[in-house]
Amino acid sequence: QVQPVESGGGSVQAGGSLRLSCTASGWTYSRYCMGWFRQAPGKEREGVASIDSAGKTDYADSVKGRFAISQDNAKNTLFLQMNSLKPEDTGVYYCAAKPVSRWLPLQCGRDVGKWPSGSWGQGTQVTVSS
């Protein structure tokens, strides 16, 4: 079991940008899903974006065209480039990673319940002011 570690959060004004990073040290699986999730105060955790080992991405409608998820396989690192940030993007951002069996379809999605609790990082705070 590998626990990701997030970094790159901070406070920015609306319209600004941030780049989040997530490192999963010791990750050796070749078939997997990786994703970014966020949780605002008083709200449930929601899926923001995911990417699979084949490079296929999936985004929440609220961030399409503004956020981009990517990965560096050699360094076991996941990124989330966030542009044109809005106050409603404020929250704690978490990354997660999970292996996928060869017998299952590689369909990562953004359903929080489909990601093992042990795969979550500790989160990084993102605050967007107006």
Side-chain angles (χ1 to χ4, degrees):
Q1 188 174 41
V2 177
Q3 182 177 18
V5 178
E6 303 94 339
S7 63
S11 298
V12 298
Q13 292 186 332
S17 299
L18 283 174
R19 187 192 188 210
L20 306 184
S21 298
C22 173
T23 300
S25 180
W27 186 263
T28 60
Y29 301 100
S30 59
R31 197 166 189 268
Y32 57 82
C33 292
M34 301 180 75
W36 285 99
F37 303 80
R38 67 187 180 188
Q39 186 168 18
K43 297 184 178 180
E44 297 294 321
R45 188 173 300 186
E46 64 175 342
V48 175
S50 69
I51 186 169
D52 64 29
S53 48
K56 185 178 185 299
T57 58
D58 183 53
Y59 296 92
D61 289 341
S62 61
V63 306
K64 287 182 178 178
R66 300 189 298 118
F67 291 11
I69 187 171
S70 62
Q71 61 187 330
D72 183 338
N73 294 337
K75 298 182 178 180
N76 295 325
T77 302
L78 180 71
F79 302 99
L80 183 66
Q81 179 65 47
M82 305 186 294
N83 298 322
S84 301
L85 284 163
K86 304 175 180 179
E88 49 263 46
D89 293 318
T90 294
V92 178
Y93 283 68
Y94 303 87
C95 69
K98 64 177 181 179
V100 178
S101 170
R102 61 180 295 180
W103 303 106
L104 298 175
L106 195 58
Q107 299 175 344
C108 300
R110 294 173 287 102
D111 187 345
V112 173
K114 300 296 184 180
W115 301 72
S117 60
S119 70
W120 300 97
Q122 294 300 304
T124 184
Q125 177 70 44
V126 171
T127 302
V128 184
S129 62
S130 60

